[in-house]
Amino acid sequence: MKNLKRWEDIHTDGINRLSARAHYISYPSREAAEMDAVDNSHYYQNLNGTWKFTFLEAPEYWPDGFYQDDLDTKGWDDIVVPGNWQLQGYGKMHYSDLWYNFPIIPPRVPTDNPTGIYRREFELDRSLEGEQLIIRFNGVDSACELYVNGEFAGYSKGARIQAEFDITGLCRQGKNTLTVRVFQWSDGTYLEDQDMWWLSGIFRDVELYARPTSGLYDYTVNTEFDSNWEDATLTVSAQLTGQRGQTIAYELIDPEGKQVFVEENNAVEPFSKYVTAPMKWSAEQPNLYHLYMTVKEDDRIIEVIHQHVGFRSIVMNGDTFLVNGVAIKLKGVNRHDYNPRTGRVVTNEEIERDIKTMKQNNINAIRTAHYPNSHFLYDLCDQYGMYVIDETDLECHGFELTGKYDWISNDPEWETAHVSRLERMIERDKNHPCIIMWSLGNESSFGHNFRAMAKRAKEMDPTRLVHYEGDREAEVTDVYSTMYTWLERHDDRLTMDKVIEKTKKPHILCEYAHAMGNGPGNLKEYQDLFYKYDKLQGGFIWEWFDHGIETVTEDGTVYYRYGGDFGDDPTNGNFCIDGLIMPDGTPSPSLYEYKKVIEPVQTDSVEIEKGIFRLINRYDFLSLDHLELTCSLYEDDKLLESFTVNLPKLVGRETAELQLPVGQDIEKISGANYYFVFSYTLNQDTPWAAKGHELANASFVLPGKEKLPKVYGDGDLQVTKEGALLTVSGTEFTVTFDCVKGVLKQVTRNGKVQIEKGPQFNFWRAPIDNDMYLLTDYRTKYFMHLGHEIVEDINYELKDGVFEWHTDALYGTTNSSWYYQLQYQYRIYPDGDIVCTVDGIASGMKENAPVMIPRLGLHLQLNHDFVQTEWRGRGPGESYVDSKQANHLGVYSKTVDELFTNYVKPQENGNRSDCDWVSFTDHDTNGLIFIANDTFNFSASHYEVSDLELAKHTVDLTKRDYVVLNLDYKQNGLGSNSCGQDQLEKYRCKFEDFNLKFRISSFNCEKTTAVELGCEQC
């Protein structure tokens, strides 16, 4: 190609950039090193803050001499560094999953190439004799040129890994000028096509520091256990800038502060030391030793380096990999550096918050999707205990759509571009015990360059595993990695059972269970498989964060925008809203479900009436000594007793039985439910959670006494008909029916309307993100959202003091040949109780019906005052048939507002499953209870299905002046089919016969409770 620009030249990986090395701090003394604060190093300036800035449509539009020392920048703007310029008013916001935003003509990029020129001054207040002054850019997207005092200092690309430049010879004491030109597009962009917002600029810290030229340039620390996993060898390989007879004193301090050894060695010789029975590092027990390396020249201290050391080894063992001798289970998440206000600019405190939240929710592993994260993350993972798959900043997903997915990944001309990114990552992060695998990248096909990367990874670091999902046959990788592999499907594509049969290497799901919107389902089924087979070593949920962009309306309401909200085209819309936590850090219900599924103690009932339970320690290494078990016995909402139980001595992965006194002596009330609840909490403070934090739980229903028969009150009913309306009246109540539509229209008590619209059959729900591939058929083939009811017959009678109403109807959708035969029956008793029965018979041309129906149930409208709910069933959070492990059976109460889950993109939410009654009360003493003959699902909100379906954002929702109530015989599972397994067969709501029966009773809260009423039969 002719006239390639610097930022298009694949053979120019960097100019004057220092060779990659570990990220560490050099201190002038042992005392300074112990304080471990960068301000105590030899010399340090953080160059973050306000810089001068000018924004250009293309690099060639630069102001003449933009890098000159004496340039007048009074007309330039101010910009914050670190920052992404799109979030500071420059350029265009754009989200896409896989498309490149320009023609695929590698290595060419558009002439219209947004470019930012950054400029600032810094003061150098000391001589640099015997020292090297280095400027470090921790992240610049996508490529940059550096100028110091008007002189070209260097060039770098590779957006998400550090770049260092020696600027000693370009600086002077006093005032200095620094200019950085940043290009949005470069040839490197072809390797940076990750699923995330396209964001540009200097987005990580810019640092200026000095290091002694007689000191270490780099070093590598390794630990290796013996064959018994008891004793270990610590090795350190040091690299000097220049050899001058230096020595290094190595001192190791254990986690309790005791000195293990101190030895002095010739600096150029590798250091090796046998350590007897060191405390091991794992995600469960992150024991960190302190290694002090004191570099001396002629007995003069040149520098001291403080390095954390974790004793852990990783080895292959047939079809498993072992960490410290155990085939661990990864209970992980994929994580981006992300902030809803600043984009990819994240602070140490934000990362620490993420990791603490993960630990509190039983997560033990992170995949740095899909690039090396901020260097703070790795220190924190070492400290708190988190396994890490460190991933190269490499994704070429857009090539998949060209029909030549391996266009550049199999082109040797691009080998340096690929391998360099891997090398720089390994060198920066190699001394972190948390890292157990080097990942070659993501979704970039396979070929020559990945073989070269794998080879180089093993040359540089044979102590860790190599990962890459795109190596579909695990030719060069140590683990067989797949994405979104289904548990069951109806074609011949890969499923987990085939993985189990096929692989001869350990397997992980590097992505699964797409946490987009309401979902995912099926988490338990995956985890059960991981536990069943040693070779299945876990997986990583996609993903941690919803990547919404915080937006504030004129009235101060906060909501979050996503792809397409900025005019970006093409875009994948809200596909970036796919996390276990929402943009503001609020846990999504899916996080609680995941926490439960991967909990460290599994409790099973053996013989509940004898109080015999089985405990399984799901830790890989830890015993249960750090936990306290509290057992509580409830009678519905009443706590009968609670006591602490001594846990058996269980080491990692052991099982034991536990016998407890399970309420044999209590006198049970008819109709009440009895629940035995286990709660495993921390018995002491940890760095990531306080004493009392719950890590695991379980709930069991004890056999009780049958419900009491309902005794109906006395009184006379009056039946009147006026036009199309029929009214049944009793003492202080009326029930109105529509004789044309055959529906219960309204229920009034004491002059107040309680039910504003009676039960009507419904099988549509507001689509969830995991329904996305069903929606075209749902809307244009089955017209599921366009239901029609045809009344065939209505009859009613007042007999023996009870009014009975029957409606026979047909219910189908537009242009459908399949339909339901419905029979509604209402029995109204003299005290105002209403027993409703709905039978549905699947009819017509059943073969034309969809394989799944969103729901089978009834829709009602209640008076807007009925905003306090109480129910007996699963709670306290929302639950669905394939996502309910985190919600136990019991009695719970919330307001209607609290039942609502405020997903970034509104959709079906708030369902409570396995309920046998639900009540609604107002602010006075009025109550309304729905008691099931068996069980139902219910949801209640201030929004109709159509409101949720039409809204793009939460701010688009306007509350109705009534409460929307859904009582469902069944609701379809959630699945994960926005990207992954659809609803499993056993969790599907199908076109099938159904029966739903329940009683509606009004009550006075001062005279009785919903719990008491719930003990009576329907």
Side-chain angles (χ1 to χ4, degrees):
M1 287 187 171
K2 56 187 177 181
N3 299 324
L4 280 177
K5 301 164 185 174
R6 175 180 287 164
W7 51 89
E8 295 176 321
D9 183 0
I10 63 173
H11 299 294
T12 303
D13 187 64
I15 301 173
N16 295 339
R17 189 178 65 216
L18 293 173
S19 58
R21 62 201 184 111
H23 190 108
Y24 66 91
I25 303 169
S26 170
Y27 296 99
S29 67
R30 168 63 187 270
E31 293 73 25
E34 285 179 354
M35 297 173 69
D36 210 12
V38 68
D39 290 338
N40 295 320
S41 61
H42 298 277
Y43 176 80
Y44 179 83
Q45 274 196 65
N46 186 297
L47 299 183
N48 295 348
T50 301
W51 293 45
K52 303 306 291 184
F53 182 75
T54 189
F55 188 68
L56 310 171
E57 293 181 3
E60 293 86 353
Y61 287 124
W62 64 71
D64 288 341
F66 70 89
Y67 49 83
Q68 294 298 327
D69 200 9
D70 57 354
L71 181 72
D72 183 0
T73 59
K74 288 181 181 178
W76 289 30
D77 297 334
D78 290 338
I79 197 167
V80 175
V81 173
N84 292 120
W85 68 51
Q86 288 88 347
L87 289 164
Q88 298 189 65
Y90 302 94
K92 298 176 181 178
M93 291 289 293
H94 199 133
Y95 165 67
S96 63
D97 171 25
L98 74 163
W99 299 299
Y100 290 105
N101 288 330
F102 47 75
I104 297 178
I105 314 172
R108 293 292 195 185
V109 296
T111 301
D112 287 338
N113 186 359
T115 299
I117 300 178
Y118 296 76
R119 190 177 173 97
R120 67 158 292 161
E121 294 178 343
F122 65 89
E123 290 279 343
L124 187 60
D125 58 2
R126 56 177 283 182
S127 166
L128 294 173
E129 184 178 351
E131 292 182 313
Q132 183 181 37
L133 187 66
I134 295 173
I135 188 167
R136 177 163 58 207
F137 294 89
N138 288 283
V140 183
D141 195 323
S142 162
C144 66
E145 292 172 340
L146 171 66
Y147 299 83
V148 177
N149 294 329
E151 299 292 331
F152 177 72
Y155 168 77
S156 183
K157 60 190 175 189
R160 296 157 200 117
I161 194 66
Q162 70 186 30
E164 295 184 314
F165 300 91
D166 178 359
I167 58 172
T168 313
L170 299 176
C171 291
R172 60 201 173 213
Q173 281 190 262
K175 186 178 294 183
N176 292 266
T177 303
L178 177 65
T179 305
V180 185
R181 183 165 64 151
V182 179
F183 313 99
Q184 177 162 344
W185 310 127
S186 71
D187 59 285
T189 305
Y190 283 100
L191 300 170
E192 295 167 356
D193 185 27
Q194 289 93 340
D195 173 10
M196 58 189 185
W197 292 97
W198 293 92
L199 297 173
S200 314
I202 305 173
F203 67 94
R204 289 183 185 156
D205 293 346
V206 182
E207 301 167 291
L208 189 68
Y209 69 96
R211 59 169 292 273
T213 55
S214 297
L216 292 181
Y217 182 77
D218 193 15
Y219 61 91
T220 303
V221 177
N222 280 312
T223 62
E224 183 178 359
F225 276 94
D226 61 20
S227 58
N228 296 319
W229 302 97
E230 293 178 358
D231 302 331
T233 301
L234 170 69
T235 59
V236 184
S237 299
Q239 178 186 344
L240 296 166
T241 307
Q243 297 182 23
R244 302 175 185 175
Q246 300 98 317
T247 62
I248 303 176
Y250 297 93
E251 181 183 13
L252 188 69
I253 308 295
D254 74 14
E256 296 174 350
K258 298 176 184 177
Q259 186 184 79
V260 180
F261 65 79
V262 58
E263 289 190 13
E264 194 161 339
N265 215 47
N266 188 313
V268 297
E269 296 176 358
F271 175 77
S272 181
K273 183 70 175 179
Y274 192 76
V275 180
T276 303
M279 289 182 273
K280 299 172 184 175
W281 185 97
S282 69
E284 297 169 9
Q285 296 171 299
N287 295 306
L288 285 178
Y289 284 69
H290 303 269
L291 177 65
Y292 291 94
M293 294 177 283
T294 302
V295 182
K296 300 177 183 179
E297 183 179 0
D298 298 328
D299 293 326
R300 178 173 59 91
I301 293 177
I302 302 299
E303 65 178 347
V304 182
I305 294 166
H306 175 205
Q307 174 65 48
H308 284 127
V309 174
F311 281 88
R312 65 103 188 89
S313 289
I314 308 157
V315 299
M316 293 291 293
N317 183 43
D319 59 4
T320 63
F321 66 84
L322 308 181
V323 175
N324 292 346
V326 176
I328 63 169
K329 299 296 183 183
L330 300 172
K331 302 168 182 178
V333 292
N334 286 273
R335 181 193 174 277
H336 283 273
D337 281 341
Y338 170 74
N339 179 291
R341 293 170 296 280
T342 59
R344 276 195 287 284
V345 181
V346 293
T347 64
N348 183 51
E349 292 74 23
E350 289 172 310
I351 298 173
E352 187 169 27
R353 179 201 66 185
D354 281 355
I355 292 175
K356 284 184 176 181
T357 304
M358 291 176 191
K359 295 287 289 187
Q360 291 163 10
N361 288 278
N362 299 323
I363 292 164
N364 72 357
I366 294 172
R367 177 180 176 227
T368 66
H370 299 292
Y371 46 83
N373 284 189
S374 169
H375 68 87
F376 296 123
L377 175 108
Y378 306 90
D379 292 329
L380 292 165
C381 288
D382 290 342
Q383 175 186 339
Y384 285 103
M386 195 71 65
Y387 300 118
V388 174
I389 297 181
D390 204 9
E391 191 146 273
T392 308
D393 185 10
L394 203 162
E395 180 166 340
C396 309
H397 204 170
F399 284 99
E400 182 178 15
L401 303 180
T402 69
K404 191 179 180 182
Y405 201 178
D406 64 352
W407 188 332
I408 62 175
S409 60
N410 201 31
D411 182 353
E413 288 292 305
W414 285 77
E415 180 178 327
T416 297
H418 283 70
V419 173
S420 170
R421 290 168 180 257
L422 172 83
E423 289 176 335
R424 292 166 67 191
M425 175 185 71
I426 292 177
E427 292 290 11
R428 187 194 74 166
D429 298 337
K430 62 191 173 186
N431 293 324
H432 290 282
C434 64
I435 298 171
I436 61 171
M437 297 184 199
W438 301 117
S439 180
L440 308 183
N442 185 65
E443 294 179 322
S444 300
S445 191
F446 188 66
H448 170 88
N449 297 328
F450 281 97
R451 293 185 181 94
M453 290 174 75
K455 179 182 178 183
R456 184 68 181 124
K458 285 301 184 183
E459 290 171 350
M460 294 179 68
D461 182 13
T463 71
R464 291 182 175 95
L465 307 181
V466 172
H467 167 273
Y468 178 55
E469 181 269 342
D471 181 6
R472 299 298 171 83
E473 300 301 320
E475 174 191 333
V476 298
T477 56
D478 294 307
V479 294
Y480 176 48
S481 178
T482 63
M483 287 183 182
Y484 306 107
T485 308
W486 289 31
L487 295 161
E488 62 182 35
R489 55 187 311 144
H490 303 288
D491 56 28
D492 60 357
R493 293 175 65 184
L494 187 67
T495 51
M496 289 302 296
D497 59 338
K498 294 177 183 175
V499 167
I500 294 165
E501 178 184 350
K502 168 186 176 180
T503 182
K504 306 302 180 186
K505 291 185 176 182
H507 174 268
I508 65 168
L509 280 165
C510 65
E511 293 179 25
Y512 80 113
H514 199 248
M516 186 177 180
N518 189 350
N522 312 320
L523 287 176
K524 184 178 186 301
E525 283 71 21
Y526 278 104
Q527 197 63 36
D528 286 347
L529 269 186
F530 298 157
Y531 287 141
K532 185 176 180 180
Y533 297 95
D534 287 345
K535 71 165 70 175
L536 302 183
Q537 295 198 242
F540 296 78
I541 302 290
W542 185 267
E543 64 169 315
W544 181 238
F545 254 121
D546 282 345
H547 290 216
I549 303 299
E550 183 177 287
T551 309
V552 183
T553 64
E554 291 183 359
D555 65 0
T557 302
V558 175
Y559 73 103
Y560 298 92
R561 289 193 281 179
Y562 45 78
D565 287 334
F566 300 90
D568 40 326
D569 183 26
T571 181
N572 294 90
N574 68 316
F575 205 64
C576 58
I577 308 297
D578 54 3
L580 292 172
I581 64 173
M582 298 181 186
D584 64 354
T586 300
S588 183
S590 56
L591 178 58
Y592 298 126
E593 182 74 359
Y594 192 40
K595 175 184 179 179
K596 171 62 181 173
V597 166
I598 60 175
E599 65 187 354
V601 188
Q602 180 179 323
T603 313
D604 298 323
S605 172
V606 179
E607 292 185 72
I608 191 169
E609 291 186 271
K610 293 183 179 180
I612 302 175
F613 298 88
R614 179 184 300 109
L615 307 187
I616 305 174
N617 182 351
R618 292 297 189 186
Y619 284 114
D620 291 319
F621 301 99
L622 273 181
S623 70
L624 303 184
D625 293 347
H626 63 296
L627 297 179
E628 178 176 281
L629 171 58
T630 301
C631 295
S632 303
L633 179 62
Y634 288 86
E635 178 184 86
D636 285 333
D637 60 340
K638 180 182 178 183
L639 176 63
L640 299 180
E641 59 179 314
S642 184
F643 49 89
T644 301
V645 178
N646 291 324
L647 284 166
K649 296 293 183 181
L650 275 181
V651 300
R653 299 191 169 192
E654 275 196 347
T655 300
E657 286 193 353
L658 187 68
Q659 178 141 19
L660 302 174
V662 187
Q664 291 96 330
D665 299 331
I666 63 172
E667 186 176 341
K668 295 180 180 177
I669 297 173
S670 296
N673 280 357
Y674 294 84
Y675 308 102
F676 203 65
V677 179
F678 288 64
S679 177
Y680 300 87
T681 58
L682 292 171
N683 59 24
Q684 57 189 354
D685 290 343
T686 71
W688 43 268
K691 177 182 178 180
H693 175 76
E694 185 178 79
L695 290 179
N697 55 48
S699 177
F700 303 93
V701 180
L702 290 167
K705 298 174 70 174
E706 289 188 1
K707 287 187 174 185
L708 296 169
K710 164 65 179 175
V711 178
Y712 295 100
D714 298 326
D716 294 323
L717 297 178
Q718 303 295 322
V719 180
T720 59
K721 187 175 185 296
E722 185 174 343
L725 299 181
L726 181 144
T727 301
V728 180
S729 303
T731 304
E732 300 179 337
F733 77 89
T734 61
V735 181
T736 304
F737 291 89
D738 186 319
C739 297
V740 175
K741 295 184 178 180
V743 297
L744 187 156
K745 188 174 180 65
Q746 191 179 84
V747 175
T748 302
R749 184 171 286 272
N750 296 325
K752 180 176 182 176
V753 176
Q754 293 187 329
I755 298 179
E756 299 191 1
K757 183 179 179 182
Q760 282 194 285
F761 177 68
N762 173 42
F763 54 42
W764 185 241
R765 71 180 181 189
I768 62 174
D769 290 318
N770 286 321
D771 290 335
M772 64 170 59
Y773 297 112
L774 300 172
L775 290 183
T776 299
D777 279 356
Y778 270 177
R779 289 197 175 110
T780 63
K781 180 179 179 180
Y782 300 112
F783 301 100
M784 296 287 289
H785 59 304
L786 301 176
H788 308 273
E789 190 160 284
I790 301 169
V791 176
E792 290 191 303
D793 188 33
I794 295 171
N795 59 76
Y796 52 87
E797 64 176 338
L798 179 62
K799 183 178 180 181
D800 298 329
V802 178
F803 177 82
E804 193 165 313
W805 172 282
H806 292 269
T807 299
D808 292 327
L810 307 174
Y811 189 96
T813 66
T814 294
N815 203 54
S816 65
S817 57
W818 54 278
Y819 57 88
Y820 270 102
Q821 294 183 40
L822 298 176
Q823 292 183 334
Y824 296 89
Q825 181 191 77
Y826 297 94
R827 292 177 61 85
I828 303 175
Y829 292 88
D831 59 0
D833 278 10
I834 305 170
V835 176
C836 173
T837 305
V838 182
D839 289 295
I841 300 174
S843 305
M845 300 178 70
K846 298 181 183 181
E847 65 274 17
N848 291 339
V851 296
M852 288 185 284
I853 290 176
R855 67 176 0 133
L856 292 172
L858 301 172
H859 169 273
L860 301 87
Q861 295 174 2
L862 309 183
N863 185 290
H864 64 82
D865 289 338
F866 285 117
V867 294
Q868 184 64 48
T869 66
E870 190 170 21
W871 73 96
R872 187 164 72 180
R874 290 195 179 270
E878 69 180 26
S879 61
Y880 294 81
V881 65
D882 59 351
S883 181
K884 62 182 183 181
Q885 302 303 315
N887 290 283
H888 299 299
L889 294 169
V891 175
Y892 304 95
S893 63
K894 286 185 180 290
T895 65
V896 170
D897 280 334
E898 290 170 338
L899 293 174
F900 187 75
T901 303
N902 207 22
Y903 291 110
V904 170
K905 183 180 186 299
Q907 54 199 276
E908 155 63 34
N909 72 89
N911 187 67
R912 267 66 181 177
S913 59
D914 300 326
C915 303
D916 70 336
W917 59 260
V918 58
S919 72
F920 297 84
T921 54
D922 62 17
H923 296 300
D924 295 321
T925 60
N926 303 303
L928 196 62
I929 188 169
F930 298 79
I931 302 172
N933 184 52
D934 187 7
T935 60
F936 50 43
N937 296 321
F938 90 88
S939 62
S941 79
H942 295 292
Y943 309 107
E944 291 282 8
V945 166
S946 58
D947 299 329
L948 299 172
E949 187 172 2
L950 294 174
K952 285 188 64 180
H953 304 95
T954 54
V955 292
D956 299 330
L957 293 171
T958 301
K959 287 185 176 181
R960 299 280 184 162
D961 60 358
Y962 52 82
V963 173
V964 178
L965 172 63
N966 291 291
L967 299 175
D968 292 333
Y969 164 79
K970 185 180 288 187
Q971 190 173 155
N972 204 25
L974 302 175
S976 182
N977 199 213
S978 52
C979 193
Q981 173 74 58
D982 62 10
Q983 291 83 350
L984 296 178
E985 194 72 24
K986 63 182 178 180
Y987 296 137
R988 294 184 174 193
C989 181
K990 299 180 181 180
F991 184 53
E992 61 188 18
D993 297 350
F994 72 91
N995 169 268
L996 186 58
K997 182 179 180 181
F998 55 90
R999 173 165 54 87
I1000 309 172
S1001 297
S1002 295
F1003 65 100
N1004 185 308
C1005 300
E1006 292 183 343
K1007 296 179 180 179
T1008 189
T1009 67
V1011 171
E1012 292 169 336
L1013 292 172
C1015 291
E1016 298 176 336
Q1017 292 176 1
C1018 169

